[in-house]
Amino acid sequence: MLREFKQTENEINAEARSTRERIESLKQDIDVERERLVDKDSAGRERLRITIQDLESEVADQEVEIGNLQEQQKSLEDRSLALGDTERQRKVEVDKARRQVERVKTGLQELTQQTSDQMSAFGRGVKEALLAIRKTQWSGMEPIGPIGKHIKLRDPKWSLIIETTLDKALNSFLVESHADRIKLDKIFRQCGCQSRIIVCKTELFDYSEGEPDQEYMTILRALNIDNEIVKRQLINLNRIEQIILVEQRSLGDKIMVSNRGGFPRNVTACLSADGYNVGARGGGLATQAINLVRPSSRLGEDISQAIAREKQLLVEQNQKLADAQKACAEVKREIETLAAEHKRSGLAER
């Protein structure tokens, strides 16, 4: 990519070598003239002194030129290295933006497919497994699932962060005994369903004492769960009553040190809608970016709304890609301009 810079650098080096050779030649001429001074009369010696002075002056000029060439080469190297680093960074940004566009396109395709079969959001074979479950006799309660079928978002702004947090739990099924787990596993294998099976207790325990203050939005408070057993299992397995939600990371940073430098009461973690885990009991106050899952209808969100949101996101991501490509092209033009300037400068000096 930086061929032009290398060519110009070679030209500068060649000119520097030529100048150094000229200096050595002049110094040799000076030495010869000094030897001739010994055998000359007064007038001859004066002429030789003038010749030597002229040669020494030319040597000085050539040494100044060498210094200028070295400075020019150093400037070229510094600017070309800086532009090279910038160009590589711009390419990384273009690749990242392109991947984001493809990711949104894939998510949009999956959402479109779910308009005709909403159960497909929970994975392969779930629709067939549900039909088989209804035809089977169970020793305990009929299996409940997929869990996400019993959940609806109260506000779509929490959609991605909650779906990412619960993810595989949303595809899970609940059974009351190990015997029923074995029976359900057989159905899953027949249907090609890979959902997790959880053996659970059906006790409806009181969880209110473990919740944080009402001022905080938790995952539990952001959801409408129509099955109390599902709710208790998500509390047991995912601590949804103690994970708080904020719209932006900056607010989470403040909240998680608000209790005398520590977490608020009954708060185990803080997640932001813009994709950050702002501290957790097990990991201290470290803030980490979260790899958000592709959106689906697993949280009961209206498919048309989800599709509309993804289409808007695709427009935004395409604009980011265009901006990144434009920035990359600008750096490339700057590299070409700089190379041309150095080439013209080298030709002018010669």
Side-chain angles (χ1 to χ4, degrees):
M1 179 56 70
L2 298 181
R3 256 193 331 243
E4 297 89 347
F5 287 111
K6 191 64 181 174
Q7 181 180 347
T8 307
E9 181 181 337
N10 291 339
E11 291 170 354
I12 292 174
N13 287 335
E15 189 167 347
R17 283 194 299 272
S18 175
T19 302
R20 290 191 185 96
E21 290 170 1
R22 174 62 178 157
I23 290 173
E24 289 304 314
S25 175
L26 289 171
K27 287 181 177 179
Q28 290 174 8
D29 290 344
I30 290 172
D31 291 340
V32 170
E33 296 300 330
R34 288 187 192 282
E35 290 176 2
R36 292 175 59 195
L37 266 176
V38 178
D39 301 327
K40 293 292 182 180
D41 56 21
S42 177
R45 284 197 296 272
E46 182 61 28
R47 285 194 299 275
L48 285 174
R49 284 193 190 95
I50 293 173
T51 299
I52 289 171
Q53 287 176 354
D54 290 342
L55 290 171
E56 289 176 338
S57 177
E58 189 172 351
V59 167
D61 290 342
Q62 294 292 324
E63 288 177 340
V64 169
E65 184 176 349
I66 280 284
N68 291 337
L69 287 171
Q70 289 173 335
E71 288 182 9
Q72 183 181 354
Q73 182 172 337
K74 181 66 168 58
S75 174
L76 173 63
E77 290 174 351
D78 290 346
R79 294 178 68 186
S80 64
L81 285 172
L83 283 172
D85 289 342
T86 302
E87 184 182 36
R88 282 188 289 275
Q89 180 60 35
R90 293 292 180 268
K91 286 183 176 180
V92 169
E93 292 169 359
V94 168
D95 289 341
K96 181 180 178 181
R98 186 174 287 117
R99 287 194 301 271
Q100 284 295 98
V101 167
E102 292 305 314
R103 183 177 182 275
V104 175
K105 283 183 177 178
T106 301
L108 192 53
Q109 290 172 355
E110 291 176 355
L111 282 171
T112 303
Q113 291 171 358
Q114 291 166 29
T115 56
S116 58
D117 179 11
Q118 192 168 354
M119 284 298 107
S120 66
F122 296 100
R124 185 165 56 92
V126 172
K127 185 177 180 181
E128 293 76 10
L130 287 172
L131 291 174
I133 287 170
R134 286 194 282 271
K135 297 176 182 178
T136 304
Q137 293 293 322
W138 304 94
S139 59
M141 68 179 184
E142 182 177 295
I144 300 172
I147 282 179
K149 192 177 71 168
H150 299 278
I151 299 173
K152 286 188 179 180
L153 279 170
R154 297 181 187 275
D155 189 331
K157 69 183 176 185
W158 306 120
S159 175
L160 273 184
I161 193 64
I162 293 180
E163 186 169 358
T164 299
T165 304
L166 300 182
D167 196 17
K168 292 182 179 179
L170 297 173
N171 300 347
S172 300
F173 282 71
L174 305 178
V175 295
E176 199 173 354
S177 69
H178 288 287
D180 284 345
R181 185 194 66 77
I182 293 171
K183 194 178 293 187
L184 183 57
D185 182 63
K186 182 179 179 181
I187 290 174
F188 280 1
R189 281 188 278 109
Q190 291 172 344
C191 298
C193 177
Q194 297 181 339
S195 294
R196 179 185 177 192
I197 302 172
I198 301 170
V199 179
C200 69
K201 295 181 179 180
T202 58
E203 176 191 358
L204 301 183
F205 57 83
D206 182 9
Y207 55 82
S208 59
E209 289 299 318
E211 292 188 273
D213 295 341
Q214 286 295 321
E215 64 181 292
Y216 299 117
M217 174 61 69
T218 62
I219 292 181
L220 175 59
R221 292 167 183 166
L223 299 175
N224 182 8
I225 304 175
D226 65 16
N227 186 294
E228 292 300 321
I229 297 175
V230 167
K231 182 185 296 183
R232 265 61 176 194
Q233 288 310 303
L234 289 175
I235 289 172
N236 273 337
L237 298 174
N238 299 90
R239 312 308 304 173
I240 62 171
E241 86 287 16
Q242 294 187 339
I243 299 175
I244 64 172
L245 303 171
V246 294
E247 291 191 37
Q248 295 180 330
R249 167 187 170 180
S250 56
L251 177 57
D253 288 333
K254 295 176 182 177
I255 290 174
M256 297 307 273
V257 294
S258 62
N259 185 16
R260 298 180 180 179
F263 294 3
R265 183 182 67 88
N266 288 337
V267 171
T268 58
C270 174
L271 307 177
S272 66
D274 55 354
Y276 288 93
N277 183 347
V278 190
R281 291 286 184 198
L285 289 174
T287 296
Q288 296 179 327
I290 299 172
N291 289 323
L292 299 173
V293 299
R294 287 195 294 268
S296 73
S297 58
R298 290 186 297 171
L299 289 175
E301 185 179 8
D302 183 270
I303 287 285
S304 61
Q305 290 182 1
I307 289 175
R309 187 178 65 247
E310 286 302 294
K311 284 182 176 179
Q312 178 58 38
L313 182 58
L314 182 58
V315 170
E316 295 170 3
Q317 293 298 334
N318 275 322
Q319 183 59 55
K320 288 182 179 180
L321 175 58
D323 291 343
Q325 290 172 328
K326 180 180 177 182
C328 191
E330 288 173 353
V331 173
K332 185 176 180 181
R333 283 195 296 272
E334 192 174 350
I335 289 172
E336 293 170 349
T337 299
L338 181 59
E341 287 176 359
H342 277 282
K343 189 170 184 178
R344 285 196 301 271
S345 174
L347 290 172
E349 289 176 2
R350 286 193 293 277

PDB file of all heavy atoms in Angstrom, residues 125-156:
ATOM      1  N   GLY A 125     -37.389 -28.000  16.244  1.00  0.00           N
ATOM      2  CA  GLY A 125     -38.147 -29.099  16.826  1.00  0.00           C
ATOM      3  C   GLY A 125     -39.074 -28.751  17.971  1.00  0.00           C
ATOM      4  O   GLY A 125     -39.790 -29.629  18.484  1.00  0.00           O
ATOM      5  N   VAL A 126     -39.099 -27.470  18.404  1.00  0.00           N
ATOM      6  CA  VAL A 126     -39.919 -27.091  19.564  1.00  0.00           C
ATOM      7  C   VAL A 126     -41.406 -27.228  19.251  1.00  0.00           C
ATOM      8  O   VAL A 126     -42.185 -27.741  20.077  1.00  0.00           O
ATOM      9  CB  VAL A 126     -39.588 -25.643  20.013  1.00  0.00           C
ATOM     10  CG1 VAL A 126     -40.580 -25.174  21.085  1.00  0.00           C
ATOM     11  CG2 VAL A 126     -38.164 -25.565  20.544  1.00  0.00           C
ATOM     12  N   LYS A 127     -41.812 -26.820  18.073  1.00  0.00           N
ATOM     13  CA  LYS A 127     -43.223 -26.900  17.702  1.00  0.00           C
ATOM     14  C   LYS A 127     -43.711 -28.350  17.733  1.00  0.00           C
ATOM     15  O   LYS A 127     -44.781 -28.645  18.281  1.00  0.00           O
ATOM     16  CB  LYS A 127     -43.412 -26.313  16.303  1.00  0.00           C
ATOM     17  CG  LYS A 127     -44.864 -26.230  15.850  1.00  0.00           C
ATOM     18  CD  LYS A 127     -44.936 -25.554  14.483  1.00  0.00           C
ATOM     19  CE  LYS A 127     -46.370 -25.442  14.000  1.00  0.00           C
ATOM     20  NZ  LYS A 127     -46.446 -24.798  12.655  1.00  0.00           N
ATOM     21  N   GLU A 128     -42.895 -29.258  17.197  1.00  0.00           N
ATOM     22  CA  GLU A 128     -43.252 -30.669  17.172  1.00  0.00           C
ATOM     23  C   GLU A 128     -43.248 -31.256  18.594  1.00  0.00           C
ATOM     24  O   GLU A 128     -44.097 -32.090  18.936  1.00  0.00           O
ATOM     25  CB  GLU A 128     -42.278 -31.442  16.281  1.00  0.00           C
ATOM     26  CG  GLU A 128     -42.346 -31.103  14.795  1.00  0.00           C
ATOM     27  CD  GLU A 128     -41.680 -29.778  14.437  1.00  0.00           C
ATOM     28  OE1 GLU A 128     -40.985 -29.198  15.317  1.00  0.00           O
ATOM     29  OE2 GLU A 128     -41.846 -29.325  13.302  1.00  0.00           O
ATOM     30  N   ALA A 129     -42.279 -30.804  19.416  1.00  0.00           N
ATOM     31  CA  ALA A 129     -42.201 -31.292  20.794  1.00  0.00           C
ATOM     32  C   ALA A 129     -43.436 -30.889  21.592  1.00  0.00           C
ATOM     33  O   ALA A 129     -43.967 -31.685  22.391  1.00  0.00           O
ATOM     34  CB  ALA A 129     -40.937 -30.754  21.468  1.00  0.00           C
ATOM     35  N   LEU A 130     -43.944 -29.690  21.390  1.00  0.00           N
ATOM     36  CA  LEU A 130     -45.133 -29.227  22.105  1.00  0.00           C
ATOM     37  C   LEU A 130     -46.356 -30.091  21.769  1.00  0.00           C
ATOM     38  O   LEU A 130     -47.174 -30.405  22.639  1.00  0.00           O
ATOM     39  CB  LEU A 130     -45.403 -27.755  21.770  1.00  0.00           C
ATOM     40  CG  LEU A 130     -44.442 -26.735  22.392  1.00  0.00           C
ATOM     41  CD1 LEU A 130     -44.702 -25.337  21.838  1.00  0.00           C
ATOM     42  CD2 LEU A 130     -44.583 -26.728  23.911  1.00  0.00           C
ATOM     43  N   LEU A 131     -46.472 -30.474  20.508  1.00  0.00           N
ATOM     44  CA  LEU A 131     -47.591 -31.340  20.112  1.00  0.00           C
ATOM     45  C   LEU A 131     -47.492 -32.698  20.809  1.00  0.00           C
ATOM     46  O   LEU A 131     -48.496 -33.244  21.301  1.00  0.00           O
ATOM     47  CB  LEU A 131     -47.582 -31.526  18.586  1.00  0.00           C
ATOM     48  CG  LEU A 131     -47.939 -30.288  17.754  1.00  0.00           C
ATOM     49  CD1 LEU A 131     -47.738 -30.563  16.268  1.00  0.00           C
ATOM     50  CD2 LEU A 131     -49.377 -29.858  18.019  1.00  0.00           C
ATOM     51  N   ALA A 132     -46.242 -33.237  20.877  1.00  0.00           N
ATOM     52  CA  ALA A 132     -46.045 -34.539  21.526  1.00  0.00           C
ATOM     53  C   ALA A 132     -46.279 -34.455  23.027  1.00  0.00           C
ATOM     54  O   ALA A 132     -46.817 -35.393  23.642  1.00  0.00           O
ATOM     55  CB  ALA A 132     -44.625 -35.037  21.228  1.00  0.00           C
ATOM     56  N   ILE A 133     -45.909 -33.349  23.639  1.00  0.00           N
ATOM     57  CA  ILE A 133     -46.095 -33.165  25.092  1.00  0.00           C
ATOM     58  C   ILE A 133     -47.576 -33.229  25.460  1.00  0.00           C
ATOM     59  O   ILE A 133     -47.966 -33.859  26.452  1.00  0.00           O
ATOM     60  CB  ILE A 133     -45.482 -31.820  25.539  1.00  0.00           C
ATOM     61  CG1 ILE A 133     -43.948 -31.903  25.541  1.00  0.00           C
ATOM     62  CG2 ILE A 133     -45.981 -31.411  26.925  1.00  0.00           C
ATOM     63  CD1 ILE A 133     -43.246 -30.566  25.735  1.00  0.00           C
ATOM     64  N   ARG A 134     -48.418 -32.617  24.632  1.00  0.00           N
ATOM     65  CA  ARG A 134     -49.854 -32.588  24.929  1.00  0.00           C
ATOM     66  C   ARG A 134     -50.497 -33.973  24.790  1.00  0.00           C
ATOM     67  O   ARG A 134     -51.550 -34.232  25.364  1.00  0.00           O
ATOM     68  CB  ARG A 134     -50.544 -31.566  24.011  1.00  0.00           C
ATOM     69  CG  ARG A 134     -50.266 -30.121  24.417  1.00  0.00           C
ATOM     70  CD  ARG A 134     -51.216 -29.162  23.715  1.00  0.00           C
ATOM     71  NE  ARG A 134     -50.818 -28.925  22.329  1.00  0.00           N
ATOM     72  CZ  ARG A 134     -49.985 -27.967  21.947  1.00  0.00           C
ATOM     73  NH1 ARG A 134     -49.437 -27.155  22.855  1.00  0.00           N
ATOM     74  NH2 ARG A 134     -49.691 -27.813  20.674  1.00  0.00           N
ATOM     75  N   LYS A 135     -49.850 -34.857  24.052  1.00  0.00           N
ATOM     76  CA  LYS A 135     -50.411 -36.201  23.837  1.00  0.00           C
ATOM     77  C   LYS A 135     -49.860 -37.232  24.829  1.00  0.00           C
ATOM     78  O   LYS A 135     -50.224 -38.398  24.763  1.00  0.00           O
ATOM     79  CB  LYS A 135     -50.098 -36.666  22.417  1.00  0.00           C
ATOM     80  CG  LYS A 135     -50.726 -35.811  21.325  1.00  0.00           C
ATOM     81  CD  LYS A 135     -50.279 -36.293  19.948  1.00  0.00           C
ATOM     82  CE  LYS A 135     -50.861 -35.414  18.839  1.00  0.00           C
ATOM     83  NZ  LYS A 135     -50.385 -35.868  17.501  1.00  0.00           N
ATOM     84  N   THR A 136     -48.993 -36.793  25.739  1.00  0.00           N
ATOM     85  CA  THR A 136     -48.295 -37.718  26.630  1.00  0.00           C
ATOM     86  C   THR A 136     -48.830 -37.618  28.053  1.00  0.00           C
ATOM     87  O   THR A 136     -49.201 -36.531  28.517  1.00  0.00           O
ATOM     88  CB  THR A 136     -46.773 -37.416  26.620  1.00  0.00           C
ATOM     89  OG1 THR A 136     -46.305 -37.489  25.269  1.00  0.00           O
ATOM     90  CG2 THR A 136     -46.006 -38.398  27.477  1.00  0.00           C
ATOM     91  N   GLN A 137     -48.848 -38.752  28.756  1.00  0.00           N
ATOM     92  CA  GLN A 137     -49.227 -38.771  30.166  1.00  0.00           C
ATOM     93  C   GLN A 137     -47.983 -38.521  31.018  1.00  0.00           C
ATOM     94  O   GLN A 137     -46.925 -39.099  30.779  1.00  0.00           O
ATOM     95  CB  GLN A 137     -49.833 -40.137  30.535  1.00  0.00           C
ATOM     96  CG  GLN A 137     -51.163 -40.418  29.860  1.00  0.00           C
ATOM     97  CD  GLN A 137     -52.269 -39.491  30.358  1.00  0.00           C
ATOM     98  OE1 GLN A 137     -52.332 -39.161  31.549  1.00  0.00           O
ATOM     99  NE2 GLN A 137     -53.129 -39.055  29.451  1.00  0.00           N
ATOM    100  N   TRP A 138     -48.113 -37.671  32.048  1.00  0.00           N
ATOM    101  CA  TRP A 138     -46.978 -37.296  32.882  1.00  0.00           C
ATOM    102  C   TRP A 138     -47.244 -37.654  34.339  1.00  0.00           C
ATOM    103  O   TRP A 138     -48.376 -37.564  34.817  1.00  0.00           O
ATOM    104  CB  TRP A 138     -46.698 -35.789  32.755  1.00  0.00           C
ATOM    105  CG  TRP A 138     -46.484 -35.386  31.327  1.00  0.00           C
ATOM    106  CD1 TRP A 138     -47.422 -34.912  30.467  1.00  0.00           C
ATOM    107  CD2 TRP A 138     -45.262 -35.469  30.605  1.00  0.00           C
ATOM    108  NE1 TRP A 138     -46.869 -34.676  29.234  1.00  0.00           N
ATOM    109  CE2 TRP A 138     -45.530 -35.009  29.283  1.00  0.00           C
ATOM    110  CE3 TRP A 138     -43.964 -35.884  30.913  1.00  0.00           C
ATOM    111  CZ2 TRP A 138     -44.556 -34.957  28.292  1.00  0.00           C
ATOM    112  CZ3 TRP A 138     -42.988 -35.816  29.931  1.00  0.00           C
ATOM    113  CH2 TRP A 138     -43.277 -35.370  28.639  1.00  0.00           C
ATOM    114  N   SER A 139     -46.202 -38.049  35.049  1.00  0.00           N
ATOM    115  CA  SER A 139     -46.359 -38.405  36.464  1.00  0.00           C
ATOM    116  C   SER A 139     -46.580 -37.166  37.316  1.00  0.00           C
ATOM    117  O   SER A 139     -47.257 -37.218  38.346  1.00  0.00           O
ATOM    118  CB  SER A 139     -45.129 -39.173  36.966  1.00  0.00           C
ATOM    119  OG  SER A 139     -43.961 -38.391  36.800  1.00  0.00           O
ATOM    120  N   GLY A 140     -46.028 -36.069  36.931  1.00  0.00           N
ATOM    121  CA  GLY A 140     -46.230 -34.793  37.619  1.00  0.00           C
ATOM    122  C   GLY A 140     -46.983 -33.830  36.703  1.00  0.00           C
ATOM    123  O   GLY A 140     -47.767 -34.258  35.853  1.00  0.00           O
ATOM    124  N   MET A 141     -46.730 -32.545  36.879  1.00  0.00           N
ATOM    125  CA  MET A 141     -47.364 -31.546  36.016  1.00  0.00           C
ATOM    126  C   MET A 141     -46.891 -31.720  34.575  1.00  0.00           C
ATOM    127  O   MET A 141     -45.817 -32.258  34.306  1.00  0.00           O
ATOM    128  CB  MET A 141     -47.017 -30.136  36.512  1.00  0.00           C
ATOM    129  CG  MET A 141     -45.553 -29.788  36.329  1.00  0.00           C
ATOM    130  SD  MET A 141     -45.123 -28.121  36.878  1.00  0.00           S
ATOM    131  CE  MET A 141     -43.383 -28.046  36.396  1.00  0.00           C
ATOM    132  N   GLU A 142     -47.722 -31.290  33.632  1.00  0.00           N
ATOM    133  CA  GLU A 142     -47.303 -31.292  32.234  1.00  0.00           C
ATOM    134  C   GLU A 142     -46.114 -30.338  32.097  1.00  0.00           C
ATOM    135  O   GLU A 142     -46.112 -29.253  32.688  1.00  0.00           O
ATOM    136  CB  GLU A 142     -48.446 -30.839  31.337  1.00  0.00           C
ATOM    137  CG  GLU A 142     -48.096 -30.853  29.853  1.00  0.00           C
ATOM    138  CD  GLU A 142     -49.280 -30.478  28.982  1.00  0.00           C
ATOM    139  OE1 GLU A 142     -50.272 -31.246  28.962  1.00  0.00           O
ATOM    140  OE2 GLU A 142     -49.213 -29.410  28.336  1.00  0.00           O
ATOM    141  N   PRO A 143     -45.086 -30.719  31.349  1.00  0.00           N
ATOM    142  CA  PRO A 143     -43.918 -29.841  31.202  1.00  0.00           C
ATOM    143  C   PRO A 143     -44.311 -28.426  30.788  1.00  0.00           C
ATOM    144  O   PRO A 143     -45.209 -28.237  29.960  1.00  0.00           O
ATOM    145  CB  PRO A 143     -43.099 -30.534  30.106  1.00  0.00           C
ATOM    146  CG  PRO A 143     -43.449 -31.983  30.251  1.00  0.00           C
ATOM    147  CD  PRO A 143     -44.901 -32.004  30.634  1.00  0.00           C
ATOM    148  N   ILE A 144     -43.651 -27.472  31.409  1.00  0.00           N
ATOM    149  CA  ILE A 144     -43.886 -26.056  31.102  1.00  0.00           C
ATOM    150  C   ILE A 144     -42.756 -25.576  30.202  1.00  0.00           C
ATOM    151  O   ILE A 144     -41.577 -25.720  30.533  1.00  0.00           O
ATOM    152  CB  ILE A 144     -43.916 -25.212  32.381  1.00  0.00           C
ATOM    153  CG1 ILE A 144     -45.031 -25.684  33.311  1.00  0.00           C
ATOM    154  CG2 ILE A 144     -44.077 -23.732  32.048  1.00  0.00           C
ATOM    155  CD1 ILE A 144     -45.002 -25.028  34.683  1.00  0.00           C
ATOM    156  N   GLY A 145     -43.129 -24.997  29.087  1.00  0.00           N
ATOM    157  CA  GLY A 145     -42.073 -24.487  28.226  1.00  0.00           C
ATOM    158  C   GLY A 145     -42.556 -24.250  26.802  1.00  0.00           C
ATOM    159  O   GLY A 145     -43.685 -24.621  26.460  1.00  0.00           O
ATOM    160  N   PRO A 146     -41.712 -23.653  26.005  1.00  0.00           N
ATOM    161  CA  PRO A 146     -40.468 -23.038  26.462  1.00  0.00           C
ATOM    162  C   PRO A 146     -40.757 -21.868  27.403  1.00  0.00           C
ATOM    163  O   PRO A 146     -41.804 -21.231  27.291  1.00  0.00           O
ATOM    164  CB  PRO A 146     -39.805 -22.571  25.160  1.00  0.00           C
ATOM    165  CG  PRO A 146     -40.931 -22.409  24.192  1.00  0.00           C
ATOM    166  CD  PRO A 146     -41.949 -23.435  24.551  1.00  0.00           C
ATOM    167  N   ILE A 147     -39.855 -21.630  28.325  1.00  0.00           N
ATOM    168  CA  ILE A 147     -40.071 -20.613  29.360  1.00  0.00           C
ATOM    169  C   ILE A 147     -40.427 -19.259  28.750  1.00  0.00           C
ATOM    170  O   ILE A 147     -41.294 -18.532  29.263  1.00  0.00           O
ATOM    171  CB  ILE A 147     -38.825 -20.504  30.262  1.00  0.00           C
ATOM    172  CG1 ILE A 147     -38.808 -21.672  31.262  1.00  0.00           C
ATOM    173  CG2 ILE A 147     -38.782 -19.172  31.011  1.00  0.00           C
ATOM    174  CD1 ILE A 147     -37.617 -21.690  32.187  1.00  0.00           C
ATOM    175  N   GLY A 148     -39.761 -18.900  27.649  1.00  0.00           N
ATOM    176  CA  GLY A 148     -40.011 -17.594  27.027  1.00  0.00           C
ATOM    177  C   GLY A 148     -41.444 -17.400  26.585  1.00  0.00           C
ATOM    178  O   GLY A 148     -41.911 -16.259  26.460  1.00  0.00           O
ATOM    179  N   LYS A 149     -42.166 -18.499  26.376  1.00  0.00           N
ATOM    180  CA  LYS A 149     -43.567 -18.396  25.954  1.00  0.00           C
ATOM    181  C   LYS A 149     -44.434 -17.792  27.043  1.00  0.00           C
ATOM    182  O   LYS A 149     -45.534 -17.275  26.777  1.00  0.00           O
ATOM    183  CB  LYS A 149     -44.086 -19.796  25.578  1.00  0.00           C
ATOM    184  CG  LYS A 149     -45.414 -19.799  24.855  1.00  0.00           C
ATOM    185  CD  LYS A 149     -45.822 -21.207  24.451  1.00  0.00           C
ATOM    186  CE  LYS A 149     -46.213 -22.046  25.658  1.00  0.00           C
ATOM    187  NZ  LYS A 149     -46.885 -23.319  25.282  1.00  0.00           N
ATOM    188  N   HIS A 150     -43.951 -17.826  28.276  1.00  0.00           N
ATOM    189  CA  HIS A 150     -44.708 -17.316  29.426  1.00  0.00           C
ATOM    190  C   HIS A 150     -44.237 -15.928  29.865  1.00  0.00           C
ATOM    191  O   HIS A 150     -44.604 -15.458  30.940  1.00  0.00           O
ATOM    192  CB  HIS A 150     -44.591 -18.293  30.596  1.00  0.00           C
ATOM    193  CG  HIS A 150     -45.151 -19.644  30.277  1.00  0.00           C
ATOM    194  ND1 HIS A 150     -46.495 -19.937  30.361  1.00  0.00           N
ATOM    195  CD2 HIS A 150     -44.539 -20.774  29.838  1.00  0.00           C
ATOM    196  CE1 HIS A 150     -46.689 -21.192  29.999  1.00  0.00           C
ATOM    197  NE2 HIS A 150     -45.522 -21.732  29.685  1.00  0.00           N
ATOM    198  N   ILE A 151     -43.432 -15.298  29.047  1.00  0.00           N
ATOM    199  CA  ILE A 151     -42.840 -14.004  29.412  1.00  0.00           C
ATOM    200  C   ILE A 151     -43.174 -12.955  28.353  1.00  0.00           C
ATOM    201  O   ILE A 151     -43.122 -13.234  27.154  1.00  0.00           O
ATOM    202  CB  ILE A 151     -41.303 -14.126  29.535  1.00  0.00           C
ATOM    203  CG1 ILE A 151     -40.935 -15.123  30.632  1.00  0.00           C
ATOM    204  CG2 ILE A 151     -40.656 -12.777  29.804  1.00  0.00           C
ATOM    205  CD1 ILE A 151     -39.447 -15.417  30.695  1.00  0.00           C
ATOM    206  N   LYS A 152     -43.474 -11.744  28.825  1.00  0.00           N
ATOM    207  CA  LYS A 152     -43.648 -10.620  27.913  1.00  0.00           C
ATOM    208  C   LYS A 152     -42.944  -9.394  28.486  1.00  0.00           C
ATOM    209  O   LYS A 152     -42.976  -9.152  29.692  1.00  0.00           O
ATOM    210  CB  LYS A 152     -45.141 -10.312  27.693  1.00  0.00           C
ATOM    211  CG  LYS A 152     -45.841 -11.317  26.801  1.00  0.00           C
ATOM    212  CD  LYS A 152     -47.251 -10.861  26.454  1.00  0.00           C
ATOM    213  CE  LYS A 152     -47.923 -11.868  25.526  1.00  0.00           C
ATOM    214  NZ  LYS A 152     -49.306 -11.448  25.178  1.00  0.00           N
ATOM    215  N   LEU A 153     -42.349  -8.644  27.613  1.00  0.00           N
ATOM    216  CA  LEU A 153     -41.685  -7.405  28.026  1.00  0.00           C
ATOM    217  C   LEU A 153     -42.710  -6.323  28.331  1.00  0.00           C
ATOM    218  O   LEU A 153     -43.707  -6.180  27.622  1.00  0.00           O
ATOM    219  CB  LEU A 153     -40.776  -6.897  26.903  1.00  0.00           C
ATOM    220  CG  LEU A 153     -39.405  -7.523  26.745  1.00  0.00           C
ATOM    221  CD1 LEU A 153     -38.792  -7.054  25.426  1.00  0.00           C
ATOM    222  CD2 LEU A 153     -38.483  -7.116  27.893  1.00  0.00           C
ATOM    223  N   ARG A 154     -42.436  -5.565  29.361  1.00  0.00           N
ATOM    224  CA  ARG A 154     -43.277  -4.399  29.636  1.00  0.00           C
ATOM    225  C   ARG A 154     -42.821  -3.203  28.802  1.00  0.00           C
ATOM    226  O   ARG A 154     -43.629  -2.326  28.483  1.00  0.00           O
ATOM    227  CB  ARG A 154     -43.212  -4.037  31.125  1.00  0.00           C
ATOM    228  CG  ARG A 154     -43.763  -5.137  32.050  1.00  0.00           C
ATOM    229  CD  ARG A 154     -43.699  -4.694  33.504  1.00  0.00           C
ATOM    230  NE  ARG A 154     -44.071  -5.778  34.416  1.00  0.00           N
ATOM    231  CZ  ARG A 154     -45.308  -6.074  34.765  1.00  0.00           C
ATOM    232  NH1 ARG A 154     -46.317  -5.368  34.266  1.00  0.00           N
ATOM    233  NH2 ARG A 154     -45.553  -7.077  35.602  1.00  0.00           N
ATOM    234  N   ASP A 155     -41.529  -3.159  28.474  1.00  0.00           N
ATOM    235  CA  ASP A 155     -40.979  -2.047  27.694  1.00  0.00           C
ATOM    236  C   ASP A 155     -39.925  -2.606  26.741  1.00  0.00           C
ATOM    237  O   ASP A 155     -38.941  -3.210  27.180  1.00  0.00           O
ATOM    238  CB  ASP A 155     -40.337  -1.010  28.631  1.00  0.00           C
ATOM    239  CG  ASP A 155     -39.948   0.269  27.895  1.00  0.00           C
ATOM    240  OD1 ASP A 155     -39.657   0.206  26.690  1.00  0.00           O
ATOM    241  OD2 ASP A 155     -39.899   1.334  28.549  1.00  0.00           O
ATOM    242  N   PRO A 156     -40.091  -2.425  25.424  1.00  0.00           N
ATOM    243  CA  PRO A 156     -39.171  -3.015  24.443  1.00  0.00           C
ATOM    244  C   PRO A 156     -37.732  -2.499  24.521  1.00  0.00           C
ATOM    245  O   PRO A 156     -36.838  -3.119  23.954  1.00  0.00           O
ATOM    246  CB  PRO A 156     -39.800  -2.653  23.083  1.00  0.00           C
ATOM    247  CG  PRO A 156     -40.711  -1.506  23.364  1.00  0.00           C
ATOM    248  CD  PRO A 156     -41.207  -1.705  24.760  1.00  0.00           C
TER     249      PRO A 156
END
